[in-house]
Amino acid sequence: MAKVLVVTSGKGGVGKTTSTAALGAALAQGGEKVVVVDFDVGLRNLDLVMGAERRVVYDLINVVQGDAKLPQALIRDKRLDNLSLLPASQTRDKDALTEAGVERVLNDLRDRFDWIICDSPAGIERGAQLAMRHADVAVVVTNPEVSSVRDSDRIIGLLDSKTQKAERGEKMDKHLLLTRYDAGRAGRGEMLKVDDVLEILSIPLIGIIPESEEVLKASNVGAPVTVNSPASAPARAYAEAARRLKGETLQVTIPSDRRGLFGKFFGRRAA
Ligand SMILES: Nc1ncnc2c1ncn2[C@@H]1O[C@H](COP(=O)(O)OP(=O)(O)OP(=O)(O)O)[C@@H](O)[C@H]1O
Ligand SMILES: [Mg+2]
């Protein structure tokens, strides 16, 4: 049965769009039929990260308003046959997304895909609530810093109260994705420790994505990092997170500061 997954965070700029593209591609690379849906009306970033910006003709709002049929708006990924994108509109008014319209489009997508991954806008207002409203499962993207963790905590509260699942009295499946994790800074106490984040948020951890320039490189060439450099540390972490989403049990390893260790070793020799 199709699953609607929302990638959400509260705080902006923590890696939702990056994670939507990477998890979507990783699930597709594993054989699942996936569509990533951009709910960030007005900003429209997911198409850039997926390298599809020049192919956008119709968008989610066109489909919600009945100006285009769903297949007209869906953009098939250049590299992965079973990955599609439903883009957001860059210009239109955010209020054009109605709850009933979104529900209709998501139900339509459920018939065509195994996974529907909704990239939420930042914040806790209407746009973020619409993106999570019909979700079956949530990935809460958090950076190991106080403001991000605090906003994630608020988002968890909304997931447990404002979604259709919550209204039906069902439990929302929530997973924590810790992104932009810098082992060196964590070691120096400049960032929250993984255990501290887990203790505050107390939802299961689905992965730790290291801070890596590979993410920026991939975004610059318009490809999810799991496609652009599949052997890189962030790509491997995303691929494992995707397998956990499918129900596999794999231990999460905390990225270590290999460069730091090497640096220390080297430093000692040089001294
Ligand atoms: N693991 C990572 N390592 C390095 N840079 C990263 C990583 N993850 C994300 N970034 C960078 O952080 C920035 C913000 O990422 P992204 O756009 O995915 O966040 P977002 O949560 O979708 O933001 P917004 O709330 O504005 O939608 C981007 O420049 C992205 O390339
Ligand atoms: Mg985004």
Side-chain angles (χ1 to χ4, degrees), residues 1 3 5 23 26-27 30 32 114-115 137 139 173-175 204-207 238-252:
M1 216 180 71
K3 272 201 172 166
L5 184 160
L23 289 174
L27 284 166
E32 306 280 303
D114 302 319
W115 291 88
V137 41
V139 166
D173 230 352
K174 298 177 291 290
H175 302 279
L205 183 65
I206 199 150
Y238 275 122
E240 282 188 7
R243 287 168 61 191
R244 288 186 195 101
L245 276 177
K246 288 202 292 180
E248 274 187 56
T249 313
L250 303 163
Q251 213 188 330
V252 181

Side-chain angles (χ1 to χ4, degrees), residues 16-17 40 45 119-120:
K16 292 179 293 297
T17 301
D40 206 347
N45 254 328
D119 181 18
S120 174

